[in-house]
């Protein structure tokens, strides 16, 4: 029987590489786990990966820094917008103080009568800290973030939509949503998959903004990836989605660390259906102790290593 296990990673289009590293590693304390390049197209662009202590699927944030290519996106409706991250219960006061000390504007917000922290990436992408007391994932302590306050991983994704009912129909009838839909004002919240954490979808009704861009461009959310666990299951899910009429879906793509299929949802957000590579995850090309220290390239780009390094922004990690 086909299933969605839970979340896998999120991928964002950001501005400069150095400010992205500084934000995720030096402000948020996340582990830098991989530095490679975008597999698609011919423009040399970094692909940077950050995670929790173990680099768990459902913990990883990846980014494409587009500033050096001059590509800028437009946030809007019918687009994934909010990066929802899970932090330990009781940690929000610590994070409010830390973000403020790092010159990040932070706001207390309330959803379902629970406090959250809302702030932005330097490129403008919306981040939200959601506190959870039942999240078993291990946070990464770094740059003054103690283990008891460190980020567990992904909480979910906030998607702005003009017609939430179409996305709800997709989730309920095609994409394995779980439990009841909870509502808070213009926000509808539900979970997808078998895990009890990291898999929340929050739909925000938004008919006032223009359509957001779906192409690459700094300041926008590119896709949210789901963990399909194995290739047989991934193929079955793809078949079901196509059979339901959602045919804006890609063929299988090998991303070295995982294999992926992409589908454009009726809410506009791009979903990735990912399976961690059978030959190894993040440590298939460097040891766990070395994660993020070496510039990794897929085999088809290895002969261009010197050329690519010469074109990419230098990063101080």
């Amino acid at each position: 029987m086909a299933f969605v296990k839970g979340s896998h990673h999120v991928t964002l289009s950001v501005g400069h590489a150095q400010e992205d590293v500084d934000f995720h590693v030096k402000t948020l304390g996340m582990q830098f786990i991989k530095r490679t390049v975008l597999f698609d197209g011919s423009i040399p662009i970094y692909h940077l990966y950050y995670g929790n202590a173990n680099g768990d699927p459902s913990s990883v944030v990846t980014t494409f820094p587009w500033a050096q290519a001059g590509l800028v996106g437009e946030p809007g409706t019918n687009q994934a917008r909010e990066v929802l991250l899970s932090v330990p219960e009781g940690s929000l006061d610590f994070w409010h103080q830390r973000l403020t000390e790092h010159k990040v504007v932070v706001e207390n917000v309330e959803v379902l009568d629970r406090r959250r922290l809302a702030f932005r990436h330097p490129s403008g992408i919306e981040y939200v800290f959601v506190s959870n007391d039942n999240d078993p994932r291990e946070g990464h302590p770094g740059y003054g973030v103690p283990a008891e306050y460190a980020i567990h991983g992904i909480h979910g994704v906030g998607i702005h939509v003009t017609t939430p009912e179409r996305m709800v129909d997709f989730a309920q009838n095609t994409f394995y949503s779980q439990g009841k839909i909870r509502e808070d004002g213009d926000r509808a919240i539900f979970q997808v998959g078998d895990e009890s954490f990291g898999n929340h979808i929050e739909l925000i009704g938004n008919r006032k903004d223009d359509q957001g861009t779906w192409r690459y461009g700094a300041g926008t959310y590119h896709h949210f990836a789901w963990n399909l666990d194995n290739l047989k299951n991934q193929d079955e899910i793809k078949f079901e989605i196509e059979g339901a009429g959602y045919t804006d879906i890609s063929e299988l793509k090998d991303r070295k660390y995982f294999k992926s299929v992409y589908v454009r949802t009726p809410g506009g957000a791009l979903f990735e259906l990912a399976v961690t590579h059978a030959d190894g995850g993040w440590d298939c090309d460097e040891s766990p102790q070395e994660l993020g220290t070496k510039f990794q390239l897929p085999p088809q780009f290895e002969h261009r290593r010197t050329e690519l390094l010469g074109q990419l922004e230098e990063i101080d990690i």
Side-chain angles (χ1 to χ4, degrees), residues 136-154:
R137 296 169 294 176
E138 182 183 354
H140 178 260
Y143 283 88
V145 177
E148 62 267 29
Y149 297 145
I151 297 168
H152 292 304
I154 298 164

Side-chain angles (χ1 to χ4, degrees), residues 201-271:
I201 292 178
E202 302 195 358
L203 301 178
I204 299 93
N206 181 348
R207 295 181 176 85
K208 68 181 189 304
D209 289 343
D210 291 337
Q211 165 75 50
T213 51
W214 290 351
R215 59 171 173 79
Y216 292 127
T220 55
Y221 200 129
H222 190 258
H223 65 260
F224 188 90
W226 298 93
N227 185 1
L228 276 292
D229 192 58
N230 62 75
L231 293 175
K232 179 177 181 295
N233 181 58
Q234 181 192 60
D235 195 53
E236 290 177 358
I237 294 288
K238 179 178 185 290
F239 185 72
E240 289 182 5
I241 291 173
E242 290 177 316
Y246 300 102
T247 55
D248 188 359
I249 191 166
S250 77
E251 297 305 311
L252 184 66
K253 298 178 181 291
D254 191 338
R255 301 311 197 187
K256 185 178 180 180
Y257 307 108
F258 41 87
K259 294 185 176 182
S260 302
V261 170
Y262 299 84
V263 58
R264 182 69 65 182
T265 69
L270 184 65
F271 280 177

